[in-house]
Amino acid sequence: MTQDLLTEAAAFARDGNLKVLEDLLAVSPAVLTERNTEGRTLLDLACRAATGDIAIPFQPGTPQQHAAVNLILKAGADPSTVDHDNWSPLHTAGMAGHSDLARRLVAAGASVESDAYGKVGGSPLSYALFYAKAYMGEVLVPVYPDNLRAAAALGNDIDRFVNGGELTPDAYRGLDFYAPEFFPVWDRARSRQEVLDEALSWAARNNQCKSMAALVTLGADVNANPFRGTPLLWACYSDKVEAASWLLDHGADPDLRHDFGGENHGVDAVAMHLAAQYNCVGCLNLLLDRGADPTIVDGAHGGTPKVWAEFHHSTEAVEILNRRVG
């Protein structure tokens, strides 16, 4: 019976049926602690609904959906409860880039230190920074895990992770997490070079040029592909024109072929493919201005950046490529 109530309550939250949801919570408060087969609570399900099921790019959700989350919190839901994968509502807010939702969850007592999928460092902040949402660092405090990668992505001081040119043990903390579960497995070396290159990639996607300069001084490679994408690729994914310009100014190859993203996403492709796919017009124009080759085809589908833009209905990118390339 409680499972049925959970399903019903989750539907009310998704549909923004606030009065009926409020009445149900008053009559059946036990629904707050009920879980579905994946271990998800009503609060978890409501947060997913309010973020478009953790949509990327960002989907705001409706005011009624967010009001439903507030009702559930007010009724006494534990914001730190995790599902069977150790995923919390705060992970949902972090990955989806919902700062206001995260703020409400933290105010209600949500832990910023939960590690999803049993990976040390798989915190809500790590998911936010992986997806180029450095602004979430204003809410998800204290920083966890506090390592070189996170500091670089947030634009914080990285000198404290360096001693005599070598990285301190703290620079390597919490690196078990490196990407969401649907990415390929990475057999990490945890070498100094790998850690520097990964930190550069995270700094680039979050537009932290000061961090990037410091990392390159320490030996980070602007053309390295530590895991599923060069710094330039990730800067273009998030349309960070300043970071992409800095990388190109410092030797990044705009036509460097490599695999990137989730499994079978990008095979033998280039930064312009991703800029076109995600309609990142700032970086698309930058790459064209800097002489990147718009005729390069990827290794999986034989598609040019324009074909990628057309397939993903990236209208502005298609218009730019038609106008500037033909």
Side-chain angles (χ1 to χ4, degrees), residues 42-249:
L42 177 59
L43 178 61
D44 184 325
L45 296 169
C47 288
R48 289 171 184 269
T51 61
D53 289 320
I54 322 180
I56 298 173
F58 180 89
Q59 289 186 17
T62 68
Q64 293 79 13
Q65 287 173 331
H66 287 280
V69 172
N70 293 343
L71 273 178
I72 295 164
L73 286 170
K74 185 178 179 181
D78 181 356
S80 293
T81 299
V82 297
D83 68 12
H84 295 331
D85 294 318
N86 218 44
W87 185 273
S88 70
L90 201 55
H91 281 95
T92 292
M95 182 169 167
H98 278 251
S99 57
D100 184 62
L101 175 58
R103 189 173 289 108
R104 283 141 52 205
L105 291 167
V106 169
S111 172
V112 300
E113 297 190 3
S114 53
D115 292 322
Y117 293 93
K119 291 186 176 179
V120 177
S123 67
L125 180 60
S126 292
Y127 278 84
L129 296 177
F130 181 86
Y131 280 109
K133 299 175 173 72
Y135 61 87
M136 295 298 294
E138 298 176 6
V139 182
L140 301 174
V141 290
V143 173
Y144 174 79
D146 189 16
N147 55 24
L148 176 69
R149 183 179 69 186
L154 290 167
N156 294 341
D157 173 37
I158 68 170
D159 289 344
R160 59 197 174 92
F161 296 105
V162 183
N163 184 10
E166 294 302 316
L167 300 184
T168 68
D170 284 346
Y172 299 84
R173 293 179 59 221
L175 295 181
D176 287 355
F177 169 81
Y178 49 83
E181 287 298 293
F182 54 85
F183 276 67
V185 174
W186 184 15
D187 185 13
R188 301 199 64 149
R190 295 180 184 267
S191 66
R192 177 181 185 276
Q193 188 67 51
E194 180 187 87
V195 171
L196 286 172
D197 291 342
E198 184 189 24
L200 180 62
S201 173
W202 282 46
R205 74 190 70 177
N206 287 289
N207 213 35
Q208 305 294 353
C209 293
K210 184 177 179 181
S211 296
M212 292 159 57
L215 290 165
V216 168
T217 297
L218 288 169
D221 181 358
V222 296
N223 285 309
N225 181 14
F227 179 71
R228 308 299 293 179
T230 63
L232 180 62
L233 177 283
W234 281 106
C236 290
Y237 156 82
S238 54
D239 208 19
K240 299 300 193 298
V241 175
E242 184 181 3
S245 297
W246 190 95
L247 290 163
L248 291 166
D249 289 342

Side-chain angles (χ1 to χ4, degrees), residues 289-307:
D289 289 344
R290 295 298 188 93
D293 183 359
T295 69
I296 289 179
V297 298
D298 71 278
H301 310 291
T304 63
K306 179 181 173 181
V307 170

Side-chain angles (χ1 to χ4, degrees), residues 10-25:
F12 293 149
R14 180 174 291 275
D15 296 340
N17 199 336
L18 301 178
K19 183 62 172 68
V20 178
L21 176 62
E22 186 174 21
D23 291 344
L24 187 153
L25 292 174

